[in-house]
Amino acid sequence: MKKVFTVIAAALVAITAAADEGMWLLPLLQKMNKKDLREAGCKLSPDEIYSINHSSLKDAIVQFGGGCTGEIISEEGLIVTNHHCGYSNIQALSTPEHNYLMDGYFALTRDKEIPCPGLSVTFLREMTDITAILAKEADDAAKEAKIKELIESAQKANPNCEVITEDFYNDNVKYLIVYKVFNDVRFVGAPPASVGKYGGETDNWMWPRHTGDFSMFRVYASPENEPAEYAEENIPYRPQRHLKISLKGVKENDYSMILGYPGRTQRFQTAAQLEQMVKENRVRIDVRTVRQDLMWEAMCADPKVQLMYASKYASSANGWKKWQGEELAFKKLDIIGREKAKEAAFMEWVNQDPARVEAYGGALDKISDAVKSVSEPDLALTLLTEAPFRIELITALSRYSNAVNSVLRKDPEAGKDVFVDAAKSLDGFYRDYVEPLDRKEAVALLSYYRDHADKTQYFDSLAVGFEDFASMDIPAYVDYLFDGSVFTSQEKLSAALEGEDYKEKITNDPANILYNAIIAKALLLYPSLYAAQTPLAEGSKAFAAGLLDWENGKASYPDANFTMRLTYGHVLPYSPKDAVYYQYFTTLEGVMEKEDPTNPEFIVPAKLKELFEARDYGRYADKKDGKIHTCFLTNNDITGGNSGSPVLNAKGELIGLAFDGNWESMSSDVMFEPDLQRCICVDIRYVLFLVEKLGGASNIIAELDFAK
């Protein structure tokens, strides 16, 4: 193990970076990327991007809500991120009377900024490589003790911060990371969904794009400028760093870089793992198609349902469409075939040296055997969780059961209050729940499950009269399920908990019986999945170490894992196929060309049309063509989690927000494609045009810091 660590340490120091590919670790920029950053066109030093001794660009970047990125753009804690990142929070704040999601909203004074319960933002303070420290420990127990010691020491040195450890390169490298989390975040503004989500799922992952994908929030802190729960006396956070904004726009080949929190990539996975991933995703695509069709039909038929299900549909459809694009890209680009060829070349290199054979020789076989052993149970679990477990009534049972059991595990003698409090925790669920729609979904999902699951995964008796799942009348069973369950509404559940027989009612509730049947089937699958974890982890760790050794001197970076990374490249067009060429930017003209008043995805607000017709663009018009540029392309290496990330120019000034990837690069989480992969960005000039001209929020514009 110490020999492997030495090889990895040497490889990380010797690497020469490639400008367009890579999600680079910030503490390694000085060693790995300094020269290449300068040659690519960056005017900043690595120390100006990441430093723990003074303010740097990283201090203006936040992880937004745990799944996106945002950036501070004023001295008073103003955050800009994507519209789709703030989507669920805006939807939760909206009502039919105050529909901020559909109508848009901008707080014209601070007292109109709206608290967002449960929303937090996280600042990175520092990252420290502790791999060498842990390598000195004798065994796993000693390593765990050392990790605990390091965390406690860092916690003491960084009050009001959270300290965690994170693995990189398939557990070959470990970092200690210090974060500061703020929980008082308030909604400041967003355009109407017809702008912020213009093009909907039709345009999702597509270019050309014309989406004004942004929303704004503000971080609040205690009077001492420290994290604090929501309180009226809290004040806007005074950041260590905020971004200046450039209105100069972009041109082809301009340097661009993105700082953010990319979620998950699979660039160290083997062909066996990728083949299994494709199978899993096909299951997800097929089941979600069934459910989403029903949701979309109901949303189009009723504006109230549209508001209630907007976030649910968007969340489901985003992955659904990406997986389809990924599947097509895998076939077109022969991703798995290319991975197999790489593995064959890797093994040829390994077999040339007995030491390499000992260290890495069995890695691929170990991974392949582990994947084969879990292939069927893994697909069965995927079908189970995507079909019957997606019935919303079962979601309610899951949340309720987890809330009750989390208390009972600590206090088995806890009384009725536990069950009552758990019911109160479902208030948000029922706020956006439509029982007739869920009934339709339940029939469709249970029918799909029966048609596609192995008979060994069929449910046992769910109710008297419905014993045989193979031949049961599913619509009749669903009526029995929903008619008899107290979990179909907050009122029914509260009434059931009033009597002394509340435990019996909950236990015998037909939804609870179905929920337990689903869990029982899942539990039967877990033993084989657990058994494969250790060999899979061991094989993956050895394979990653071998790749770093084999590719010593070449660009290498760890898979994305929701830690802050830098990617840098240039503003570029692309050509996806013969005779097709895509310009690197779009304009407001394209919004008007796509307008379709009969399609909810392509409705243009009347005021935006008025501004367009009057060419009332103010200082946000492009200096060269006089138009409003809506979006642009870069070849920056991004993935999910980068949504909302700042797109910066060579001086570190804000020029746009990253919000999507293009359709032709859907395999990019596995393999970077320099000729095809593009990051789709909303132009910051379009964002501010919408804030000032469409939203009338000159107060927001006044607090921004514009580059000269």
Side-chain angles (χ1 to χ4, degrees):
M1 179 62 207
K2 289 185 178 180
K3 178 182 178 182
V4 171
F5 164 72
T6 302
V7 169
I8 292 171
L12 293 180
V13 172
I15 282 171
T16 299
D20 46 7
E21 178 177 356
M23 301 176 184
W24 304 100
L25 287 172
L26 302 190
L28 297 178
L29 294 179
Q30 186 71 30
K31 290 182 178 179
M32 295 172 60
N33 308 90
K34 181 179 179 180
K35 180 176 180 289
D36 198 63
L37 277 166
R38 184 173 64 251
E39 292 178 349
C42 185
K43 304 299 183 184
L44 303 180
S45 69
D47 191 57
E48 290 175 294
I49 298 171
Y50 172 83
S51 175
I52 61 175
N53 298 315
H54 55 77
S55 72
S56 55
L57 277 183
K58 61 95 173 164
D59 296 314
I61 315 303
V62 298
Q63 187 172 47
F64 184 86
C68 280
T69 303
E71 47 273 7
I72 304 290
I73 56 172
S74 84
E75 293 181 343
E76 298 180 90
L78 184 65
I79 294 174
V80 64
T81 186
N82 284 160
H83 185 271
H84 73 264
C85 293
Y87 201 79
S88 61
N89 293 283
I90 301 169
Q91 187 263 346
L93 296 173
S94 297
T95 64
E97 296 75 26
H98 299 286
N99 196 333
Y100 306 126
L101 186 67
M102 297 302 170
D103 300 337
Y105 175 82
F106 286 97
L108 302 184
T109 56
R110 292 289 166 81
D111 62 314
K112 300 299 183 182
E113 296 177 355
I114 308 172
C116 299
L119 178 60
S120 66
V121 297
T122 302
F123 291 85
L124 171 66
R125 287 297 177 240
E126 60 182 271
M127 296 177 66
T128 305
D129 189 346
I130 59 172
T131 313
I133 296 173
L134 298 180
K136 297 175 183 178
E137 302 301 325
D139 52 35
D140 289 343
K143 285 183 172 65
E144 290 301 318
K146 177 57 71 173
I147 290 172
K148 183 179 179 181
E149 176 188 326
L150 293 170
I151 289 176
E152 290 175 350
S153 177
Q155 192 76 66
K156 187 176 180 180
N158 296 275
N160 296 321
C161 289
E162 296 183 2
V163 183
I164 66 167
T165 60
E166 195 72 62
D167 296 320
F168 299 86
Y169 298 102
N170 287 3
D171 204 23
N172 282 289
V173 174
K174 188 180 288 289
Y175 272 79
L176 185 81
I177 308 178
V178 180
Y179 291 118
K180 183 168 277 192
V181 182
F182 288 78
N183 295 312
D184 186 353
V185 182
R186 307 183 193 181
F187 176 48
V188 174
S194 56
V195 173
K197 197 173 170 56
Y198 187 73
E201 293 310 317
T202 300
D203 274 6
N204 193 16
W205 306 108
M206 296 294 181
W207 183 261
R209 199 67 172 275
H210 302 84
T211 310
D213 199 344
F214 80 96
S215 57
M216 290 179 164
F217 296 78
R218 194 182 305 277
V219 191
Y220 279 74
S222 71
E224 295 75 32
N225 208 40
E226 292 295 330
E229 296 301 318
Y230 170 80
E232 289 187 7
E233 62 268 22
N234 286 351
I235 61 174
Y237 174 63
R238 301 182 297 279
Q240 293 186 35
R241 183 73 168 260
H242 68 278
L243 299 180
K244 289 186 176 182
I245 294 171
S246 172
L247 296 181
K248 293 181 180 179
V250 299
K251 60 183 184 297
E252 189 172 338
N253 292 318
D254 275 357
Y255 173 86
S256 64
M257 61 182 172
I258 291 174
L259 272 170
Y261 285 87
R264 298 288 175 191
T265 55
Q266 300 84 37
R267 294 182 186 173
F268 281 86
Q269 286 204 16
T270 66
Q273 290 172 297
L274 296 178
E275 287 172 334
Q276 183 66 13
M277 182 182 77
V278 171
K279 293 176 184 177
E280 289 176 18
N281 289 345
R282 175 39 59 181
V283 173
R284 294 187 177 100
I285 292 166
D286 291 342
V287 183
R288 291 193 184 194
T289 299
V290 172
R291 182 170 179 243
Q292 286 170 200
D293 285 349
L294 293 171
M295 291 171 69
W296 184 252
E297 180 183 16
M299 291 166 68
C300 290
D302 188 337
K304 290 184 178 179
V305 178
Q306 182 184 24
L307 176 60
M308 296 166 77
Y309 276 70
S311 181
K312 297 176 188 178
Y313 183 87
S315 177
S316 177
N318 190 54
W320 167 80
K321 188 167 185 179
K322 179 181 179 180
W323 296 324
Q324 292 178 72
E326 190 173 64
E327 189 176 70
L328 290 172
F330 266 51
K331 293 177 182 177
K332 180 179 179 180
L333 300 173
D334 191 25
I335 296 297
I336 292 175
R338 289 159 65 186
E339 176 61 31
K340 288 180 177 178
K342 185 182 85 172
E343 290 171 17
F346 169 74
M347 286 307 301
E348 183 178 354
W349 171 81
V350 168
N351 290 329
Q352 293 172 0
D353 185 338
R356 295 177 199 156
V357 172
E358 182 182 356
Y360 319 126
L364 288 173
D365 287 341
K366 187 172 285 190
I367 293 171
S368 180
D369 291 345
V371 170
K372 286 179 183 177
S373 72
V374 299
S375 180
E376 291 307 317
D378 189 38
L379 294 175
L381 186 61
T382 301
L383 178 59
L384 189 66
T385 54
E386 286 288 337
F389 204 75
R390 291 280 178 174
I391 298 170
E392 291 185 81
L393 187 60
I394 300 306
T395 300
L397 253 299
S398 177
R399 293 183 184 179
Y400 183 82
S401 178
N402 289 337
V404 169
N405 290 332
S406 66
V407 176
L408 293 182
R409 279 192 291 268
K410 299 174 184 176
D411 181 10
E413 302 302 320
K416 188 175 183 179
D417 288 347
V418 176
F419 294 83
V420 174
D421 290 342
K424 292 177 182 177
S425 72
L426 291 176
D427 287 350
F429 170 84
Y430 289 115
R431 178 181 179 276
D432 295 321
Y433 178 65
V434 178
E435 185 201 353
L437 173 56
D438 194 26
R439 282 184 186 242
K440 290 183 179 179
E441 291 178 5
V443 171
L445 291 172
L446 286 173
S447 298
Y448 188 94
Y449 184 74
R450 183 170 65 184
D451 291 344
H452 294 84
D454 187 277
K455 288 182 170 55
T456 60
Q457 286 298 109
Y458 279 6
F459 301 121
D460 298 327
S461 176
L462 297 175
V464 174
F466 297 100
E467 290 85 359
D468 186 359
F469 185 70
S471 59
M472 73 153 53
D473 183 338
I474 288 181
Y477 168 72
V478 168
D479 284 340
Y480 161 82
L481 175 69
F482 280 77
D483 291 343
S485 177
V486 302
F487 285 91
T488 54
S489 74
Q490 187 75 68
E491 294 74 22
K492 286 183 180 180
L493 180 56
S494 297
L497 294 171
E498 289 178 358
E500 292 303 316
D501 59 346
Y502 66 92
K503 286 187 179 180
E504 182 180 348
K505 289 180 179 177
I506 297 299
T507 300
N508 296 326
D509 189 277
N512 189 47
I513 292 171
L514 175 57
Y515 168 71
N516 285 326
I518 295 170
I519 296 300
K521 291 301 177 185
L523 290 175
L524 291 175
L525 299 170
Y526 285 145
S528 56
L529 297 175
Y530 286 142
Q533 284 184 352
T534 297
L536 184 61
E538 291 174 348
S540 297
K541 184 174 183 177
F543 180 53
L547 288 177
L548 289 172
D549 191 359
W550 180 40
E551 298 178 342
N552 189 9
K554 295 182 181 179
S556 186
Y557 47 87
D559 268 326
N561 59 356
F562 286 103
T563 54
M564 193 188 291
R565 307 292 180 89
L566 173 74
T567 170
Y568 52 101
H570 298 87
V571 175
L572 288 173
Y574 77 105
S575 177
K577 53 188 175 182
D578 183 49
V580 176
Y581 174 83
Y582 284 134
Q583 179 61 282
Y584 67 89
F585 67 90
T586 57
T587 69
L588 193 55
E589 273 80 354
V591 174
M592 303 307 160
E593 290 169 357
K594 287 181 176 179
E595 182 189 13
D596 181 359
T598 67
N599 186 337
E601 294 185 324
F602 293 98
I603 293 174
V604 179
K607 187 173 181 180
L608 184 58
K609 287 194 284 187
E610 291 172 6
L611 292 167
F612 171 73
E613 290 166 0
R615 301 301 189 265
D616 184 7
Y617 301 154
R619 55 178 162 169
Y620 307 112
D622 185 76
K623 299 297 186 291
K624 185 176 180 180
D625 61 23
K627 299 178 180 181
I628 284 289
H629 288 206
T630 51
C631 302
F632 63 91
L633 294 173
T634 73
N635 65 346
N636 294 120
D637 191 358
I638 66 159
T639 190
N642 273 123
S643 292
S645 294
V647 187
L648 306 167
N649 63 18
K651 297 180 181 179
E653 299 161 347
L654 186 64
I655 56 176
L657 313 179
F659 73 91
D660 212 349
N662 59 319
W663 184 248
E664 293 82 7
S665 66
M666 288 293 95
S667 59
S668 62
D669 283 355
V670 172
M671 194 174 292
F672 187 84
E673 293 292 334
D675 293 334
L676 292 177
Q677 182 162 339
R678 294 294 181 267
C679 169
I680 303 176
C681 317
V682 58
D683 196 306
I684 195 62
R685 296 172 297 175
Y686 187 42
V687 169
L688 299 184
F689 161 75
L690 293 169
V691 171
E692 182 175 346
K693 296 291 186 175
L694 185 68
S698 57
N699 59 306
I700 292 175
I701 302 298
E703 69 175 283
L704 305 180
D705 190 359
F706 292 94
K708 296 179 181 179

